[in-house]
Structures are given as structure tokens and as C-alpha cells.
Amino acid sequence: MNSLLALLIVPVIGSAAAAILQRYRLVERLITFLTFSVTFLFLFGIKVGDLFTWHLDFLGKNLEMGLQITPLSIFMLYMTIAFGIVLTFYNISEKSKMKGFLLLLTLAASNWIFMSADLISFFFAWELMGWSSILMIFGGRREAESRQGALYYAMMSIGGSYSMLIGIFLLSNLTGTFSIQSNVSYLMSILSVHPWQVLGIVSLFFVAFMVKSGIFPFHTWVPYTYGEAPDGFVPYLSSVMSKYGVYGFLIFLPLTLGTHVPTVLGLAWPNYVLLWFGSITAVVGSVLAFMQDDVKKLFAYSSFSNLGFILAAIALFTPIGLTAGLFHAFNHLLFNGAIFITVIALISKVGTTRMSEMGGIWQKMPLTFLTFFVGIAAAAGIPPFAGFGSKWMIFQAMISHGLIFATVLLFFASIASFLYLMRAFHAVFLGQLSHRYDNVKEVSAIGKITEVFLLGALIFFGILPGFVLDPINSIVSAFGLKPLPTSGYEYINGFFSSINMVSIFIVVIVAFIFGFVLFAIVAKHKKVPQEDNYTAGQIPQDWNLTPEMYQFSYDFYEPMNKELAPFLKVKIDGFFKGFGESVEYIGGAVKEIFTGNVQIYTYLAVGGLVIFIIAGWVVW
């Protein structure tokens, strides 16, 4: 079987088998895991430059459609399918309502997106991905809330899809072809003559990509959907599916290599606009994250904040910017996946997503605690874990372009991420253990294997980043840019300097050992009842307090919330809600016209025919 086709056919066959046998949960989970594994094996049979084409008769035209492997597509395929294997292995022992056959349909769509050589294939793959994930979200822990989250996500996705579809037909009408490569080349050729036309068409695609990645101002669906989607699906939704938008942006960003594009601070102005979308997304996500008490929503905001970092980096479209963005995309998949997998493990044990109802759980789940800690350390950009190197490169890329204000914004977002991540760490795992969790136990053997693997990956790719940077350099070269120099697997080379991650790892380990020994020798502590820390001997009932209010993370950032409140009065949700109400009003008005009166229908038909004739006369 052709390996390119196998990447589509194997998931579809696995999906059918999983759908038939979904009554047997363990069998369905095993089929899902094995299908991901077999699909991954077929990756070894493909190489850059592979092409498979076929023809389709559409509206009287013979269209050439196909699958193609580029350095970028093969990087995305390896990255996303490998994570899918880890997640589906973990889900074998979990009780999530995730439907394996829908996840496998999403896998087929994902592979199709990354391999599409034409816009028709790309669009159909995009729609398959969208609808399979929408149906998946309906099966969340809380039925009514998950339905609402799925519908919100569906409406945003449909809007993005319509925008993309209009862009596809406008572009193909100009070029006479649906080939992605031919269309991008054509846009590059007319960019200096018709810049606004090119910008208008590309913007239609960018709306769809921004929606999928949760880029501001299309981020509003993210917390609702992540918060209510089935626990076993959330890591895939946040770690893998958010990368589809990144891939889409990289299809059209080569347009800015044209020499006639006006620049702002040495950056092509469309890229400058994207840079600011990314920077604002990073800040908004971080600010909203540290206001959350729901742990899933907190990391939902964290996820799209990191997508802001990625977009800001790739928007530079310089060797270091593109390298940093792709490197952070890989690291984000890794640490975000580790965080969400440990979070869903935690939720399955304690039965709540509210951080103020947790605390002290490290005693019961030490391995989950350690994996979570390393995950958030990587997300915060703390060396020597995966996440530090890519953030370090992003800041170097921004400074090298003289984008000081944008750099300050990203630095603020990074500091804010440290604050909310440390709060989550303390609120969930540290402090005193509530008596309700006395019987909580560590995850299953499968869960432990998964967590140890993720823990090792976060450390391995943190101290030996060259294993990721080498394929990224191939992608940079394919875009016609000069890749960064390489010095060995342990080095990260930036614009101004380079760092040796193994040396940093050794320094951190020595410092940790010294600190632990000092703590063991000097620290003197004793265990006290929780109330002693907060009530000084008073009777809590007299204050109408509940045990959750003793949790030190309760209203943790209340002073900061008050300071930021004036800036958060205007909510993007309100805009989309108002837009939806307007559409509903117009729809209701139109509905009133269709009363069943044949005479009214006749008038409408005649009026439509007149408009059609006039439009045809104007066009021809």
C-alpha cells in the first residue's frame, strides 16, 4: 500500500472498527492505540518529495488533487502522531467518555491537512477535522455544559470555514487551479502590483487559522470547550489541534519574502500585524489564566497564550524567528500534553476541577505531582526543561529585530505565566490535604508508564534540543532561509549567543542538591491543623466560612484582579453574543416572510430572477 494513502486509510479503517466495537470500552481503546501505532509505522515509509495525485471531475472541470510531503509536513506528522500514541496508551486505563472512532477520524483529517497539495483536499480535511472534534466535545463530563461548549466551538469553526471557502474560490478564480504551491506562487508574483488584493484573500484564510489556534480575538471558545470536552480528548485538542492553525500560517507566510512589500521596523507589514496579534494573545491568555479557579480553564488560557508566542515568532519569518516558533510549537505540544494528562488524572481521582477544593495531593500522587511540576516548569521557561530554550530563542529573535515594545509584552506574558503556573502548582498539590481525599491513590500502571515517559521527554529534549532543531533547520532551508549554525545536540544557537543545555542541567542539579541538603539540615517544622493557619483559634462557622476558603489559593490574586478589572470590562464574548443575537433577529424577520402564501413566493421568485438577470448583465 502507498504510504501516503496508508496515513489516511489506516485511521479510517481503525475508526470503523472502533465504532463497531465501542460497546466494549477496553477493546475500543486498544484499537485506537494500535491504529495510532500502525499509522506511525507508515511514517517510516515516506520521505520529503513523495507525491500522490488523482483527478476529480468538479463542475465540468478536471481537477488534479494530491498528497505531498514537505519538510514541514513530515515534522508535523511525526510530532502529532507520536503524541497521539502516548495519549491513547494513557487512555486505555481511563474512564473518560472520549470516543475512539471520532479521535481516529480526527487523526485521518490531521494527516490529510498536513499532506494536502491542493486547496480542495485541504478544505475537506479541515472540515472533517472540525466536525469529528465537535462531535467529540458533546461527550463531556457535564452533558448540558459540554453541549454548549461544542456549539460555541462549532459556530466559531463554521465562521472560519466559510471564510476559508470564500478565499479558496476567490483565489482559484484568479489562478484557474487549486494547487497550493501554484496559488502561493501567483500571489507572490502580484504582491507588488496588487498588495491589497493579496492581503484580502490571505486574510480570509488567516481568520480560519486564528480561530483554530485560539488567537485573539477568536479565543473565546477555548476556555468553554477545553473546560467541558471529555477529559481524555482535551490533551489532543489543546496540544495537537492548535497546531493546525500554525501550519496554515506557514503556508502563506512565504509571501512576505517578496522584495516590494512595505516594511515596518524592517518587518513586512502583514507580518508586523500578525506579530501584534500573537503578542496580544500571549498577554491576554496569561492575564486571564491567573484569574481562574477551574484548573482546566486555567490551562486552556495558558495553551492559547503559548500559541501567541508561537505566532509572534513565526511572523518574523527570519531564520531565528521561524526556528524559535517551530521549536516552541514542539515544546508546547510536549509540556502542554504532560500538564493536561496529569490534570485529567487528578480530576479523575478527586472529582472536581476547582483548585480551591484541592490541596496536599502530592502525598497521594507523588509521580503525578512530579510530572506536573516538571511540565509547568517547562511551560514557565525554567531551565533545563523543554520550553526554556524556545522561549530564550523567541526573545532573541524579537530583540534582534528591534521590536522592543513587543518584547516587553511577551516578557510580561512570560512573567504572568510563571505566576499562574506556580499558583496552580501550590493550590493543587501543596498545602494541607483535605480529609475527603484520604483514599485517593496514584494512577494505574499504564498511567505511571505514560507519566514517566513524559517526564523523561521533558528532560531529554530540554538538555539535548538538537534532536528537534535538526529537522527544524531542514524546514527553514526549504523556505529559502539560511538555517542557524549547529554545534552539537546539547547546544542552542541564538542571534547573539549560544547556550550549552547540558552545562545548565549540571548547574541546576548541583544547586538543587545543595538546597535540599540545606533544607534537611536547617528546616524545623511540625504539622498543624489547617484552621490554625488562618483563624487564630476563632470558630470558622461564626464567619460563615467553608473549608475551601482556608485554601491559601482562594482569591489568590484578588488585589491584582481589582487593579485589572477596569481593563477587562469590555469582553470579546459580548461582541460575539451581540452578533449572534443580530443574526437571530434577521433570521426571525426572514422567517416571517415565508408564511405559506403562494403569491408571496411568486413575488420572491420573480424578484430573484430579475436580480439574477441584472447581475449576469453587469458581469458579462
Side-chain angles (χ1 to χ4, degrees):
M1 182 187 296
N2 182 285
S3 294
L4 299 186
L5 285 179
L7 292 176
L8 304 183
I9 294 173
V10 171
V12 172
I13 294 174
S15 176
I20 294 171
L21 298 171
Q22 64 176 312
R23 290 177 56 189
Y24 309 97
R25 191 187 66 83
L26 179 59
V27 175
E28 182 211 31
R29 297 295 168 88
L30 286 171
I31 290 173
T32 306
F33 167 68
L34 291 173
T35 303
F36 265 90
S37 302
V38 172
T39 304
F40 187 79
L41 292 177
F42 276 100
L43 286 179
F44 294 99
I46 66 175
K47 61 183 183 300
V48 174
D50 283 353
L51 180 67
F52 182 87
T53 60
W54 67 92
H55 290 80
L56 175 70
D57 289 327
F58 181 73
L59 297 178
K61 294 183 178 181
N62 187 264
L63 304 178
E64 183 177 77
M65 304 173 68
L67 307 174
Q68 185 175 16
I69 298 298
T70 65
L72 177 61
S73 63
I74 202 169
F75 176 76
M76 301 297 285
L77 287 167
Y78 269 102
M79 183 171 68
T80 55
I81 298 176
F83 179 77
I85 293 174
V86 176
L87 178 62
T88 52
F89 177 74
Y90 173 80
N91 279 329
I92 290 175
S93 62
E94 286 301 300
K95 298 179 180 179
S96 169
K97 294 181 180 179
M98 184 194 71
K99 302 293 184 182
F101 76 95
L102 288 174
L103 183 61
L104 290 174
L105 281 180
T106 307
L107 170 63
S110 174
N111 295 345
W112 198 5
I113 287 172
F114 296 141
M115 295 190 296
S116 292
D118 62 277
L119 292 171
I120 294 296
S121 297
F122 188 86
F123 180 76
F124 277 113
W126 194 269
E127 286 299 282
L128 176 61
M129 171 270 297
W131 286 108
S132 58
S133 58
I134 289 167
L135 293 174
M136 179 79 78
I137 294 165
F138 273 103
R141 184 183 295 266
R142 299 182 298 179
E143 185 176 342
E145 287 80 1
S146 64
R147 185 184 299 115
Q148 183 179 2
L151 290 174
Y152 197 169
Y153 173 55
M155 292 301 101
M156 296 294 286
S157 296
I158 289 171
S161 296
Y162 274 128
S163 179
M164 182 192 294
L165 188 61
I166 293 170
I168 288 173
F169 281 107
L170 286 176
L171 190 52
S172 62
N173 187 53
L174 290 173
T175 63
T177 178
F178 289 100
S179 166
I180 292 176
Q181 185 175 353
S182 298
N183 279 289
V184 171
S185 298
Y186 175 79
L187 291 176
M188 291 182 70
S189 68
I190 66 169
L191 184 59
S192 59
V193 182
H194 302 291
W196 289 106
Q197 183 181 25
V198 173
L199 177 65
I201 293 174
V202 172
S203 296
L204 292 170
F205 288 92
F206 280 4
V207 167
F209 304 148
M210 292 171 75
V211 168
K212 191 58 61 182
S213 293
I215 300 298
F216 179 89
F218 304 105
H219 64 283
T220 53
W221 64 270
V222 174
Y224 296 103
T225 304
Y226 286 23
E228 302 303 335
D231 293 341
F233 180 58
V234 173
Y236 195 85
L237 179 65
S238 62
S239 300
V240 173
M241 296 184 64
S242 59
K243 305 302 181 294
Y244 301 147
V246 176
Y247 180 79
F249 283 120
L250 289 173
I251 291 176
F252 290 98
L253 279 176
L255 288 169
T256 59
L257 292 176
T259 57
H260 300 288
V261 184
T263 61
V264 181
L265 298 177
L267 190 66
W269 69 268
N271 294 52
Y272 189 74
V273 173
L274 279 181
L275 167 79
W276 280 104
F277 274 115
S279 301
I280 293 171
T281 299
V283 172
V284 170
S286 292
V287 170
L288 293 177
F290 68 67
M291 295 183 175
Q292 303 304 310
D293 187 43
D294 187 296
V295 68
K296 286 175 71 176
K297 289 185 177 180
L298 182 147
F299 286 109
Y301 283 118
S302 172
S303 181
F304 85 75
S305 175
N306 276 282
L307 265 295
F309 277 90
I310 295 169
L311 179 59
I314 65 173
L316 297 176
F317 212 70
T318 58
I320 186 172
L322 186 56
T323 302
L326 288 170
F327 190 23
H328 199 62
F330 174 85
N331 287 337
H332 173 257
L333 178 138
L334 199 57
F335 65 66
N336 196 64
I339 289 170
F340 266 110
I341 284 177
T342 53
V343 164
I344 64 176
L346 178 72
I347 293 170
S348 69
K349 298 294 183 180
V350 302
T352 181
T353 61
R354 294 178 62 85
M355 293 188 294
S356 58
E357 296 176 1
M358 302 180 191
I361 299 174
W362 74 271
Q363 306 169 52
K364 301 293 183 178
M365 305 176 71
L367 180 59
T368 302
F369 158 73
L370 181 60
T371 307
F372 182 84
F373 170 71
V374 173
I376 64 170
I382 297 175
F385 308 114
F388 164 74
S390 52
K391 276 195 173 182
W392 178 81
M393 291 184 74
I394 289 173
F395 286 121
Q396 286 225 0
M398 302 291 289
I399 294 171
S400 68
H401 235 87
L403 300 164
I404 304 302
F405 189 57
T407 305
V408 170
L409 281 183
L410 290 180
F411 186 75
F412 171 81
S414 187
I415 295 299
S417 72
F418 179 82
L419 294 176
Y420 67 70
L421 289 169
M422 289 302 104
R423 175 206 174 187
F425 171 64
H426 281 278
V428 172
F429 285 102
L430 301 184
Q432 296 194 27
L433 180 71
S434 172
H435 294 303
R436 75 179 77 177
Y437 304 131
D438 286 342
N439 297 321
V440 167
K441 296 181 179 179
E442 185 59 276
V443 293
S444 64
I446 289 178
K448 290 176 182 176
I449 294 171
T450 306
E451 290 181 353
V452 168
F453 176 83
L454 290 169
L455 189 62
L458 287 166
I459 297 172
F460 177 84
F461 289 109
I463 63 177
L464 296 173
F467 285 98
V468 182
L469 293 174
D470 274 359
I472 290 177
N473 281 342
S474 299
I475 298 171
V476 173
S477 297
F479 278 115
L481 301 172
K482 184 180 179 181
L484 298 176
T486 56
S487 308
Y489 288 121
E490 70 273 23
Y491 283 92
I492 299 177
N493 293 306
F495 188 84
F496 303 106
S497 60
S498 63
I499 52 176
N500 186 318
M501 293 304 300
V502 172
S503 299
I504 292 177
F505 176 72
I506 293 172
V507 170
V508 170
I509 290 297
V510 171
F512 177 80
I513 293 173
F514 177 77
F516 181 80
V517 170
L518 193 65
F519 174 80
I521 294 174
V522 177
K524 298 184 183 300
H525 57 274
K526 64 178 181 178
K527 202 168 185 178
V528 296
Q530 187 176 22
E531 290 80 0
D532 284 3
N533 293 316
Y534 293 87
T535 62
Q538 299 297 319
I539 302 175
Q541 289 79 2
D542 293 345
W543 300 347
N544 295 319
L545 298 179
T546 62
E548 288 76 22
M549 293 182 179
Y550 305 142
Q551 227 275 10
F552 86 99
S553 70
Y554 185 81
D555 275 345
F556 193 74
Y557 287 117
E558 183 180 8
M560 196 174 297
N561 291 352
K562 290 180 179 179
E563 294 298 324
L564 292 172
F567 301 99
L568 300 175
K569 287 182 179 179
V570 178
K571 295 185 177 181
I572 301 298
D573 306 59
F575 168 78
F576 287 118
K577 182 179 180 181
F579 179 76
E581 291 174 349
S582 300
V583 172
E584 184 178 5
Y585 175 78
I586 295 171
V590 173
K591 182 180 177 182
E592 294 298 322
I593 298 175
F594 297 92
T595 59
N597 190 319
V598 177
Q599 187 174 3
I600 292 177
Y601 292 159
T602 303
Y603 291 149
L604 290 173
V606 172
L609 180 62
V610 170
I611 293 172
F612 180 77
I613 293 172
I614 294 173
W617 176 75
V618 171
V619 172
W620 294 101

